Amino acid sequence: MKGILNSAQIEYVILHLAQHIHLSSALRDSFVFTGSDSDLSGYKNSIIFLLSEKTFQIADVKIIEDIPVLFPLSTENSFFSGKNGNIIFNHDILKSAFYLLSGIQEVNHNSPDSLGRFSYKESVQAKLNITGKPVVNYYFEEIIKGIKTFCDSRNLVFSRISHFNKFAFFLTHDVDRIQYYNLNTFLYLLKTLFTKKQGTKTRVANLKELFNTGFHILNVFDKKDPYWNFREMSDQEKKLGINSAFFFLPKDQKHVDSYYNLSDSNITGLIQLLKNENHEIGLHGTVRSSESGEALKKIMSDFLSVASISSTGIRQHRLMWKHPDTAVNHCFNGIVYDSTLGFAEHEGFRNSYCHPFRIFDFKNNCTLPYWEIPLNVMDSTLFHYRKLSLGEAMTSSEKIRDEVIRFNGVFTLLWHNSYFNEKEVPGITRFYSSLLENVMAEKPEVLTGLKIVQRLSETVKNG
């Protein structure tokens, strides 16, 4: 990222700052954006943002009050100072915020993971160990402190904006698989017997599970399947006062996307059941649709027809994402929001922000007109990628939740209907129940994705 931020990039950051504070025209008129070597003697009664021309270097990062500043401009250990009636931000916080929030590090990255995704280990969040901290929110708090100091000294009106009461809880479920006892599972278990890698199970355990799966497939009198647990999930959520979003995955590439057809009677019946229970129905984009606009258009049309809905949010299967092309295709196809952007390998904040945000289109130097509701915690992140114990997973999830509460943001949890296997993770069912109970004990506003977008629109309209 070379040179100072251009006007569109500056406005992108200010747009998100304006989610947290009322920026009147008088206040905006006091903003000055200038190079760090500029002569400031001519400015009076201004809020001055100094801009850096430097490219990002890990070695240059400066820590102020435990917050990393990516583009420091001096040895000053404070975010802002007052001089000649001005508030001067001593470092380029705007560029630091833009770098993290816009995801510019993901554009043309050269070290993808095994699935072709932007690799967590290559991210600045991993390298600075800040994945669990919404650093952009901390930046905004410092900017707001500076603005408040400016307003107080001039008796100007100062007021904050809060979209949610305390924080919002967005519970989501990706419906990748609806059957455990099927031929694909049987063949997978058979394959494990002839490979050195047994996963978390012993060879004997895999052999037992192979026979168990074969028995259930052949037993025509017992068709109860552990993955078809939607009634139980809905009942549990109802008791806790939760409405969630279920993202359905169309059938496309074999052994990559779903094994079910959206038009199957059991799926259409399930969708209607969930709608009747006031859950949200969303699209789980196929792997191909994460890069192909035509593939997305096709599954979008089929999905809206089957689900009998006019608009939808999306999460891409396997968290596949090409930045920002995936988002551009989403907007072109009329998707209202996305909730893909979380790291598969680590819980926390992929874009270092705990509120919904807009995606920046680098090719056209503009802000896209739809919302990203970032993903914070996913079941497989905790237990597959990170291999945490139940206690460690709960502690980490609660730390993420508490950071969200600190800034009145949105806590987004992804739990698959297929992630209740006690044989794989003993105690997982109780863990999930406890996690929901712990979140609800903090008295969040429970909102689905479409409701969150509606709330944001109302706040902007009434603000």
Side-chain angles (χ1 to χ4, degrees):
M1 185 176 180
K2 299 179 180 179
I4 64 174
L5 294 183
N6 62 43
S7 58
Q9 293 169 337
I10 289 173
E11 285 305 312
Y12 175 77
V13 179
I14 299 301
L15 169 71
H16 292 91
L17 175 66
Q19 286 196 74
H20 307 280
I21 181 176
H22 288 283
L23 294 178
S24 65
S25 57
L27 198 53
R28 279 299 308 266
D29 288 344
S30 69
F31 286 6
V32 172
F33 309 100
T34 187
S36 58
D37 58 350
S38 300
D39 180 6
L40 305 181
S41 61
Y43 293 108
K44 300 288 184 182
N45 301 319
S46 298
I47 299 174
I48 301 174
F49 294 91
L50 299 179
L51 305 179
S52 171
E53 294 185 348
K54 294 182 179 179
T55 58
F56 174 69
Q57 300 290 336
I58 287 283
D60 293 338
V61 172
K62 182 178 181 65
I63 307 297
I64 303 177
E65 300 175 13
D66 293 327
I67 303 301
V69 178
L70 274 54
F71 297 95
L73 292 171
S74 69
T75 58
E76 289 285 345
N77 287 316
S78 60
F79 284 95
F80 64 89
S81 56
K83 187 175 182 180
N84 296 330
N86 301 312
I87 291 295
I88 303 170
F89 287 96
N90 300 316
H91 308 284
D92 196 344
I93 307 180
L94 296 183
K95 190 173 182 178
S96 298
F98 181 84
Y99 187 93
L100 295 172
L101 185 61
S102 72
I104 194 170
Q105 64 177 330
E106 300 191 26
V107 179
N108 300 322
H109 62 91
N110 298 316
S111 301
D113 68 7
S114 60
L115 294 179
R117 302 173 299 195
F118 175 67
S119 175
Y120 164 70
K121 68 179 181 180
E122 296 299 321
S123 71
V124 65
Q125 285 84 358
K127 292 175 180 177
L128 293 178
N129 193 27
I130 57 171
T131 315
K133 182 172 287 190
V135 173
V136 173
N137 290 95
Y138 282 88
Y139 290 155
F140 285 166
E141 279 301 302
E142 295 302 326
I143 294 175
I144 290 170
K145 286 179 186 177
I147 291 175
K148 186 177 188 304
T149 301
F150 182 85
C151 290
D152 288 348
S153 66
R154 289 160 182 77
N155 294 318
L156 297 176
V157 174
F158 172 88
S159 61
R160 286 179 174 265
I161 296 172
S162 180
H163 297 291
F164 314 107
N165 297 327
K166 196 172 183 180
F167 74 111
F169 178 36
F170 180 31
L171 177 60
T172 67
H173 311 289
D174 292 354
V175 186
D176 300 341
R177 303 285 181 262
I178 61 171
Q179 281 185 308
Y180 177 76
Y181 297 128
N182 58 27
L183 183 60
N184 292 303
T185 303
F186 184 84
L187 293 176
Y188 170 77
L189 291 168
L190 185 63
K191 181 180 178 180
T192 63
L193 295 176
F194 298 96
T195 59
K196 293 182 179 180
K197 187 176 181 181
Q198 296 294 308
T200 59
K201 297 180 181 179
T202 65
R203 183 176 295 274
V204 172
N206 277 324
L207 184 60
K208 288 181 178 179
E209 190 62 21
L210 177 69
F211 280 111
N212 180 55
T213 300
F215 171 78
H216 280 86
I217 292 173
L218 296 174
N219 186 358
V220 296
F221 299 105
D222 181 13
K223 291 303 179 183
K224 184 175 176 58
D225 193 286
Y227 286 3
W228 191 267
N229 51 6
F230 303 100
R231 177 76 270 177
E232 293 83 355
M233 293 174 69
S234 182
D235 287 346
Q236 179 183 29
E237 292 170 19
K238 192 173 184 178
K239 289 179 181 178
L240 293 171
I242 300 173
N243 297 113
S244 59
F246 289 80
F247 294 93
F248 284 85
L249 177 64
K251 192 174 185 178
D252 188 15
Q253 297 181 78
K254 189 175 182 180
H255 304 316
V256 173
D257 300 301
S258 79
Y259 293 114
Y260 62 85
N261 290 306
L262 289 176
S263 58
D264 289 347
S265 59
N266 60 338
I267 299 299
T268 57
L270 172 59
I271 288 174
Q272 189 57 53
L273 168 68
L274 296 173
K275 288 170 65 176
N276 290 343
E277 294 291 323
N278 294 317
H279 297 295
E280 182 181 305
I281 306 301
L283 175 62
H284 200 27
T286 59
V287 167
R288 201 193 312 268
S289 74
S290 66
E291 294 194 29
S292 168
E294 284 301 311
L296 178 61
K297 181 180 180 180
K298 175 63 169 59
I299 64 170
M300 178 83 169
S301 176
D302 294 343
F303 171 74
L304 292 178
S305 176
V306 168
S308 297
I309 55 178
S310 58
S311 60
T312 187
I314 192 172
R315 176 178 291 129
Q316 294 295 150
H317 183 40
R318 296 183 173 179
L319 304 187
M320 300 297 292
W321 187 270
K322 183 177 181 181
H323 199 62
D325 299 17
T326 304
V328 172
N329 288 336
H330 287 174
C331 287
F332 183 79
N333 283 280
I335 287 172
V336 177
Y337 73 87
D338 173 79
S339 189
T340 302
L341 290 182
F343 288 118
E345 303 99 318
H346 206 293
E347 65 281 9
F349 307 95
R350 178 166 170 167
N351 294 77
S352 299
Y353 193 54
C354 68
H355 285 76
F357 63 96
R358 307 285 194 178
I359 302 292
F360 193 81
D361 179 358
F362 299 96
K363 292 180 179 178
N364 296 297
N365 193 40
C366 66
T367 301
L368 295 176
Y370 90 141
W371 291 100
E372 176 66 33
I373 305 176
L375 172 62
N376 305 126
V377 177
M378 177 172 68
D379 44 21
S380 57
T381 299
L382 301 174
F383 301 109
H384 173 68
Y385 288 98
R386 295 257 282 143
K387 302 187 186 307
L388 301 179
S389 69
L390 295 177
E392 291 169 335
M394 186 64 74
T395 298
S396 184
S397 298
E398 289 177 346
K399 285 181 178 179
I400 300 301
R401 177 206 63 194
D402 291 346
E403 287 288 340
V404 172
I405 292 173
R406 177 173 185 156
F407 296 106
N408 304 109
V410 178
F411 179 65
T412 304
L413 172 65
L414 163 55
W415 205 273
H416 296 80
N417 62 292
S418 55
Y419 218 92
F420 292 95
N421 192 337
E422 291 288 335
K423 295 176 182 178
E424 289 284 349
V425 185
I428 191 66
T429 304
R430 182 56 204 159
F431 172 88
Y432 174 67
S433 297
S434 297
L435 180 55
L436 293 187
E437 291 165 3
N438 290 349
V439 173
M440 293 304 293
E442 296 295 331
K443 302 187 183 309
E445 282 196 86
V446 178
L447 298 171
T448 61
L450 292 176
K451 291 291 185 182
I452 289 171
V453 171
Q454 182 181 355
R455 177 69 60 82
L456 293 169
S457 300
E458 290 173 351
T459 306
V460 171
K461 182 179 179 181
N462 297 328

